[in-house]
């Protein structure tokens, strides 16, 4: 939320400096996001008087002016139709930057006549929309002074982040109340004028009491809707709002000033009275933003006898909006249920200043006063005659008292604050405190519903920086490890992945429905998502990594190696939430860049993914030598170029390989992408956890022996199955087996392939004899024969 320092001081009598106020805002929980002074951008512009104005010798629409900005006459060429001798305006000398034109002025010849700077319009200085002529100031404006100082533009704009629970600080007055409670000044109560209405109030009623419990309204007739006063336009412009007309600007001003959204209807555009009711299925409304919305049945709307004119508490309709021809209006000051506003705004994907306040909860006790202030402003600046006030329904103003003990500030908040000081803090914030410490929150603090909330109020005003840093008590004896086995596992795998040259990513836990469907669909959908693209809890980590890879590749990165450790969100057999710790890994782009030695660049393939999966499983402590490679990984994976690593036929520890080309198109990825999903939750638990010490490494006393075997096997037999059979032929002597060659072609019959395996034998207490080696070799051949393999001669 934005406001100016001068605006704040209209609600807070204070001598505090800007820095003190900024520090105070952050200290009491209203984080300052930024501060800027719009007047600084116009520091080079000065008040100047036009001494003479002559027609340009070479152009009928240009004039040659003699301008005095305090340093003597300057010649300026000007095309403004209102430029004339005696006019006092705003002058920019050479070197001044004009923000509305994005140019820096310099001495230039215009149609052969030298021009030294320019006289400026409001649009050129970005202080208004006027551009038909140069700014005209009063004749008594001091020539030569800074225009920023003269116009009061040196008023810093403060941008404060308001948390969702602080509905009371969605207005400048509420922020001033907090600062006053913190000792930075005295709160100035808003003046509530007495508006004497004539005759009955407007015809308004309620049919949806749940969505709109209270609907107050007052009519003003015979008004003139012109331009809002300069002070109001300046404040709205400073915070980024565009002044439109007096009626519209008054409602916008009160929304920011007092946190009280209102709406004004042009009576001439209505058919019958106004009613707060529920929308009917299929009803539409064109809102003030120029867009049409189809309303869902049950949304709270304001309508007349013919059509909907307002999406209640969110945005008014264009059909009944006021204009410069408006003469009679109805001023609406209603209370809308926060929950109904939030649901409707989300369903329509429509946000507004009004919605931001109503869905937090505006002050339900400020309807009469808010309507009186608004009506007074309309009468004062637009004229006209006010009617009586119609009050339909009643706002929920009853607040429940909370039993509070001052000792909670210390026991719960960690800061001992005297009881009377706590009473003073709470009362300065609007709370009512009885002698026996029954505390009733004010109507503008619907977020306070317990003693803990009162402690928070006391501590933040007293100063959270005063809470002493106290170490937690240490248990006696040897410190016990704080990390769980799962956390230790994550650390090992994370370090191993980083050591292998992979970059860690952190992606959203939410996906769009289409992305989740590509990986089997999500088990859980959020009822209140951030957006439609982030509403399904992810069933896989790969979609987020693929989106990250796509962004990096499109920004020129030639190789992407990303991994993430996080949770997949599934359902268990009973339909309950089931979070699974998983590692996702994506390899995209070039594995090897082109070069004079290697030649062309090489892309990642399924074997790269398999190597990463095995290495990370080994780091996690999985028995990689016992794993089986089986089948394709699923529909998201490339057939024939993917597989699973399993411990037994049912326990899947990882999926690896190339992703399906059709899936990659959905992520706007060109080329092949290798990936891994490693399921850390499926790893077998370690046995014998009492002894955390690893045994000392003792190298074998005897040298190992290597023997090569070449087998002729059916093409359908996987090399992995053959290797596992060979390794198990003699578990005491064989310590390793690996494929080093696969051959098909001449000399190998059709439907078969030649697989060469290197077997490593390790003697224990004595060297192998020829007979022992022959016996082991016979076991290897016999084990391979059970898989359909024949030893090649």
């Amino acid at each position: 939320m934005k406001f100016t320092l001068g605006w704040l001081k209209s609600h807070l009598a204070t001598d505090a400096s800007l820095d003190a106020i900024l520090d105070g805002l952050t200290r009491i929980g209203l984080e300052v996001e930024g501060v800027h002074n719009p007047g600084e951008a116009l520091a080079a512009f000065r008040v100047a008087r036009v001494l003479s104005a002559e027609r340009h010798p070479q152009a009928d629409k240009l004039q040659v002016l003699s301008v005095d900005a305090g340093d003597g006459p300057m010649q300026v060429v000007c095309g403004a139709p209102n430029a004339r001798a005696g006019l006092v305006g705003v002058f920019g000398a050479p070197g001044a930057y004009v923000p509305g034109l994005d140019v820096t002025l310099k001495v230039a010849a215009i149609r052969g006549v030298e021009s030294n700077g320019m006289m400026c319009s409001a649009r050129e200085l970005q202080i208004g929309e006027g551009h038909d002529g140069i700014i005209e100031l009063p004749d008594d404006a001091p020539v030569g002074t800074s225009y920023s100082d003269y116009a009061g533009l040196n008023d810093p704009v403060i941008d404060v982040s308001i948390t969702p629970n602080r509905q009371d600080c969605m207005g400048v007055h509420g922020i001033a109340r907090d600062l006053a409670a913190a000792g930075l000044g005295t709160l100035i109560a808003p003046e509530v004028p007495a508006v004497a209405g004539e005759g009955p109030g407007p015809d308004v009623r309620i049919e949806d009491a749940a969505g709109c419990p209270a609907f107050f309204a007052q009519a003003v007739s015979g008004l003139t809707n012109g331009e809002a006063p300069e002070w109001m336009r300046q404040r709205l412009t400073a915070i980024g709002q565009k002044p439109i007309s007096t009626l519209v600007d008054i409602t916008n001003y009160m929304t920011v000033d007092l946190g009280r959204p209102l709406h004004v209807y042009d009576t001439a555009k209505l058919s019958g009275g106004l009613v707060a009711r529920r929308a009917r299925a299929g009803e539409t409304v064109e809102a003030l933003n120029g867009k049409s919305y189809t309303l869902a049945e049950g949304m709270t709307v304001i309508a007349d006898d013919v059509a909907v004119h307002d999406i209640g508490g969110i945005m008014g309709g264009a059909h009944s909006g006021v204009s410069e021809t408006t003469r009679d209006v109805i001023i609406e000051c209603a209370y809308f249920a926060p929950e109904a506003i939030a649901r409707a705004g989300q369903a329509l994907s429509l946000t507004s200043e009004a919605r931001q306040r109503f869905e937090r909860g505006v002050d339900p006790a400020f309807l009469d006063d808010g309507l009186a202030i608004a009506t007074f402003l309309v009468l004062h600046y637009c004229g006209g005659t006010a009617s009586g006030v119609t009050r339909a329904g009643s706002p929920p103003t009853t607040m429940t008292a909370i039993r509070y003990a001052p000792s909670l500030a210390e026991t719960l908040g960690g800061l001992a604050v005297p009881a009377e000081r706590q009473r003073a803090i709470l009362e300065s914030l609007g709370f009512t405190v009885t002698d026996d410490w029954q505390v009733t929150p004010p109507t503008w603090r619907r977020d306070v519903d317990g003693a803990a909330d009162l402690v928070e109020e006391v501590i933040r005003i007293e100063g959270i920086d005063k809470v002493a840093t106290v170490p937690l008590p240490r248990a006696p004896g040897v410190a016990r490890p704080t990390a769980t086995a799962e956390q230790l596992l994550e650390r090992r795998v994370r370090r191993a992945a980083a050591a292998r040259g992979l970059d860690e990513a952190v992606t959203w836990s939410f996906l769009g429905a289409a992305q989740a469907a590509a990986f089997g669909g999500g088990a859980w959908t959020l009822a209140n998502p951030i957006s439609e693209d982030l509403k399904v809890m992810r069933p896989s980590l790969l979609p987020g990594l693929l989106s990250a890879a796509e962004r990096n590749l499109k920004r020129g990165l030639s190789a992407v190696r990303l991994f993430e450790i996080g949770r997949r969100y599934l359902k268990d057999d009973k339909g309950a939430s089931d979070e699974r710790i998983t590692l996702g890994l994506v390899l995209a782009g070039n594995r090897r860049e082109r070069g004079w030695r290697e030649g062309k660049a090489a892309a990642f393939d399924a074997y790269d993914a398999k190597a990463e999966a095995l290495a990370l499983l080994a780091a996690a402590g999985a028995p990689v030598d016992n794993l089986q490679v089986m089948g394709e990984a699923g529909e998201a994976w490339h057939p024939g170029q993917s597989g699973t690593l399993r411990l037994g036929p049912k326990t899947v520890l990882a999926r690896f390989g190339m992703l399906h080309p059709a899936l990659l198109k959905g992520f706007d990825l060109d080329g092949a992408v290798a990936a891994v999903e490693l399921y850390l939750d499926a790893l077998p638990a370690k046995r014998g956890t009492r002894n955390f010490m690893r045994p000392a490494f003792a190298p074998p006393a005897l040298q190992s022996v290597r023997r090569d075997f070449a087998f002729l096997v059916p093409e359908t037999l996987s090399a992995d199955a053959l290797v596992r059979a060979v390794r198990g032929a003699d578990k005491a002597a064989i310590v390793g087996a690996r494929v080093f060659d696969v051959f098909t072609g001449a000399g190998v019959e059709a439907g078969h392939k030649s697989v060469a395996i290197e077997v490593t034998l390790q003697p224990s207490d004595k060297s192998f004899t020829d007979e022992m080696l022959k016996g082991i070799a016979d076991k290897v051949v016999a084990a391979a024969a059970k898989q359909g393999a024949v030893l090649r001669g």
Side-chain angles (χ1 to χ4, degrees):
M1 179 179 150
K2 294 181 179 180
F3 54 91
T4 68
L5 180 61
W7 196 341
L8 176 66
K9 288 185 176 182
S10 68
H11 292 275
L12 182 69
T14 181
D15 295 327
S17 66
L18 174 62
D19 289 341
I21 289 174
L22 298 179
D23 178 69
L25 286 168
T26 299
R27 180 163 43 86
I28 61 178
L30 303 175
E31 182 182 358
V32 177
E33 292 194 330
V35 181
H36 79 279
N37 189 346
E40 292 178 352
L42 305 179
F45 296 87
R46 292 183 289 170
V47 176
R49 185 183 300 275
V50 179
L51 302 177
S52 64
E54 305 292 339
R55 190 177 70 85
H56 193 290
Q58 304 296 329
D60 293 337
K61 294 185 178 181
L62 298 178
Q63 297 186 76
V64 180
L65 309 181
S66 178
V67 176
D68 178 17
D71 297 327
M74 300 279 286
Q75 181 171 283
V76 176
V77 176
C78 180
N82 64 331
R84 62 187 184 277
L87 179 146
V88 179
V90 181
F91 171 71
Y97 174 75
V98 184
L101 300 177
D102 192 24
V103 298
T104 300
L105 298 176
K106 59 183 179 180
V107 178
I110 301 177
R111 294 289 185 92
V113 176
E114 184 180 275
S115 180
N116 300 276
M118 69 180 293
M119 298 294 288
C120 303
S121 69
R123 178 179 289 183
E124 288 163 344
L125 298 184
Q126 291 187 340
I127 59 173
E129 293 300 313
H131 65 284
D132 295 332
I134 57 179
I135 297 171
E136 294 192 35
L137 302 177
D139 289 341
D140 59 354
V143 173
T145 60
S146 166
Y147 175 66
S148 295
D149 293 337
Y150 170 77
L153 298 177
N154 282 318
D155 192 4
V157 177
I158 304 169
D159 188 2
V160 175
S161 175
I162 308 296
T163 53
N165 65 312
R166 294 304 306 277
Q167 70 275 2
D168 59 306
C169 289
M170 290 300 289
V172 181
H173 184 74
I175 293 174
R177 182 191 298 112
D178 262 23
L179 289 172
L184 287 173
T186 303
L187 181 66
I188 301 173
E191 294 184 10
V192 181
V195 179
E198 300 178 4
D203 179 12
V204 300
R205 65 187 191 278
I206 296 173
E207 293 180 0
D208 178 19
C212 180
F215 185 178
F216 292 9
Q218 191 167 18
V220 177
S221 58
L223 57 81
T224 301
N225 186 25
E227 189 176 56
E230 184 178 359
W231 65 268
M232 186 180 291
R233 287 185 284 112
Q234 281 186 353
R235 286 183 177 179
L236 292 175
T237 301
I239 64 173
Q241 293 196 13
K242 178 182 176 181
I244 298 174
S245 68
T246 305
L247 291 173
V248 175
D249 292 351
I250 286 173
T251 61
N252 290 339
Y253 177 78
M254 287 198 60
T255 297
V256 179
D257 186 57
L258 298 170
R260 175 65 254 186
L262 304 124
H263 190 61
V264 180
Y265 301 88
D266 188 332
T267 307
K269 299 176 181 178
L270 299 176
S271 300
L274 291 173
V275 57
R277 62 170 173 83
R278 294 185 177 185
R280 304 182 183 103
E283 282 189 309
T284 61
V285 61
E286 182 183 351
L288 288 171
N289 61 3
K291 298 180 180 180
S292 293
Y293 295 90
T294 300
L295 305 174
E297 188 174 3
M299 291 181 179
T300 302
V301 298
I302 307 296
D304 61 10
D305 295 343
V306 176
V308 174
H309 291 284
D310 187 351
I311 307 172
I314 299 178
M315 189 171 289
H319 176 71
S320 59
V322 297
S323 65
E324 66 276 2
T325 62
T326 297
R327 296 294 175 263
D328 305 313
V329 298
I330 295 175
I331 305 173
E332 166 212 305
C333 185
Y335 180 84
F336 296 96
E339 295 79 9
I341 295 297
R343 287 193 297 267
Q346 182 183 6
L348 297 173
S349 297
L350 176 60
T351 186
S352 66
E353 294 285 342
R355 176 191 166 185
Q356 291 178 14
R357 287 160 176 81
F358 276 121
E359 70 181 357
R360 283 174 163 89
V362 300
D363 182 2
F366 194 66
L367 271 68
D368 269 317
D369 290 351
L371 183 58
I373 294 172
T375 304
F376 173 80
L377 291 174
V378 170
L379 293 173
H380 184 73
Y381 292 109
C382 299
T385 303
S387 73
V389 176
T390 301
R391 298 175 179 86
S394 60
T397 57
T398 302
M399 304 299 291
T400 302
I402 301 168
R403 185 167 187 81
Y404 180 68
S407 59
L408 289 174
E410 182 175 10
T411 59
L412 191 59
L415 182 62
V417 181
E420 289 309 308
R421 170 60 179 157
Q422 294 190 50
R423 182 187 297 273
I425 290 174
L426 292 172
E427 289 179 344
S428 66
L429 292 172
F431 294 80
T432 301
V433 185
T434 65
D435 292 340
D436 60 347
W437 286 97
Q438 295 287 332
V439 182
T440 304
T443 52
W444 57 81
R445 291 302 301 272
R446 65 188 293 267
D447 60 302
V448 177
D449 61 3
D453 296 320
L454 298 176
V455 171
E456 179 185 355
E457 296 300 301
V458 170
I459 298 300
R460 72 181 182 87
I461 297 299
E462 183 67 12
I464 196 170
D465 55 317
K466 295 181 181 179
V467 178
T469 301
V470 179
L472 293 173
R474 186 183 185 280
V478 179
R480 297 179 180 179
T482 58
T484 64
E486 184 179 79
Q487 291 171 331
L488 293 173
L489 174 63
E490 289 184 38
R491 292 177 188 175
R492 288 200 305 272
V493 176
R494 179 177 285 110
R495 290 171 180 168
R500 293 184 63 81
L502 301 170
D503 298 313
E504 185 173 11
V506 179
T507 66
W508 288 101
S509 297
F510 323 113
L511 305 172
Q515 289 185 333
F519 287 86
W524 302 98
T525 301
L526 300 180
N528 184 26
I530 299 172
S531 71
E532 281 297 305
D533 294 332
L534 295 171
K535 73 175 186 177
V536 179
M537 301 296 288
R538 63 186 179 193
S540 169
L541 274 67
L542 296 182
L545 291 172
L546 289 173
S547 297
E550 179 264 339
R551 288 191 295 272
N552 281 275
L553 290 172
K554 285 191 174 180
R555 283 160 177 76
L557 203 63
S558 61
V560 173
R561 297 174 173 86
L562 294 177
F563 81 95
E564 179 178 10
I565 297 177
R567 269 69 176 167
R568 296 177 297 133
Y569 301 91
L570 311 173
K571 282 185 178 180
D572 61 17
D573 296 337
K574 297 181 180 179
S577 175
D578 188 12
E579 298 183 17
R580 302 290 185 88
I581 180 67
T582 307
L583 180 142
L585 186 154
V586 164
L587 304 172
N590 295 331
R591 174 174 58 86
R592 185 187 69 229
E593 299 294 340
R594 63 181 181 178
W596 63 269
R597 184 175 180 181
E598 294 85 3
K600 295 182 179 179
F604 291 103
D605 57 27
Y607 295 106
D608 295 313
K610 181 181 179 183
E612 297 296 341
L614 289 172
L616 295 177
L617 283 172
V624 292
D625 291 339
N626 299 332
L627 298 183
Q628 303 176 38
V629 180
M630 300 178 66
E632 280 82 20
E635 294 183 359
W637 303 80
H638 196 303
Q641 297 185 33
S642 61
T644 60
L645 291 170
R646 306 190 182 207
L647 191 61
K650 294 183 179 180
T651 305
V652 179
L653 297 187
R655 301 180 192 274
F656 70 91
M658 309 305 293
L659 292 174
H660 200 289
L663 180 141
L664 297 178
K665 287 183 180 179
F667 288 88
D668 200 19
L669 280 165
D670 297 325
V673 175
V676 173
E677 249 195 349
L678 194 153
Y679 308 122
L680 299 177
D681 61 289
L683 292 173
K686 287 189 176 182
R687 299 177 181 176
T689 56
R690 291 185 179 180
N691 184 10
F692 294 97
M693 295 293 292
R694 292 183 180 181
F697 174 71
L702 301 174
Q703 186 173 350
S704 62
V705 178
R706 289 181 174 85
R707 289 291 184 266
D708 295 342
F709 297 84
F711 295 103
L712 189 66
V713 302
E715 282 187 335
T716 56
L717 179 66
S718 68
D720 176 70
L722 181 60
V723 169
R724 282 189 289 108
V726 168
R727 188 185 295 119
D730 189 332
K731 295 182 179 180
I734 298 175
V735 296
R738 69 180 185 90
V739 176
F740 68 88
D741 184 53
V742 178
F743 174 74
T744 58
V748 177
E749 61 182 277
H752 288 72
K753 59 185 176 183
S754 173
V755 179
I757 298 178
E758 179 189 78
V759 179
T760 303
L761 309 175
Q762 179 62 57
S764 56
D765 53 352
K766 61 180 179 179
S767 298
F768 291 123
T769 63
D770 290 340
E771 291 78 10
M772 295 171 66
L773 292 174
K774 183 179 183 304
I776 295 172
D778 291 342
K779 292 180 181 179
V780 168
V781 173
K786 293 180 180 180
Q787 302 293 323
V790 177
L791 186 67
R792 294 186 65 188

